[in-house]
Amino acid sequence: MSTTVESLSERSAAEINEEIRALWRRSGGTLSVEQREEYQRLVLEWAAAPHSVEAA
């Protein structure tokens, strides 16, 4: 599995972050090799995604 982001994400950083959180919840806190690969892909996608800045 490639860990490169082939194109800019069309999803927001918040959407990707929720998918990352769901992955951790499903894993019970310990990622398998396959889950780690998915996590790495998601983190790269998150880094490339548009991030909104919200006022506190």
Side-chain angles (χ1 to χ4, degrees), residues 7-41:
S7 63
L8 290 177
S9 176
E10 294 184 12
R11 300 188 298 165
S12 71
E15 291 171 308
I16 300 163
N17 189 42
E18 184 53 40
E19 190 171 339
I20 291 169
R21 289 175 186 263
L23 174 64
W24 279 105
R25 283 191 297 271
R26 286 191 313 269
S27 75
T30 303
L31 299 177
S32 69
V33 171
E34 292 165 345
Q35 290 170 321
R36 276 184 265 152
E37 290 173 352
E38 181 181 0
Y39 175 75
Q40 290 173 344
R41 180 189 58 78

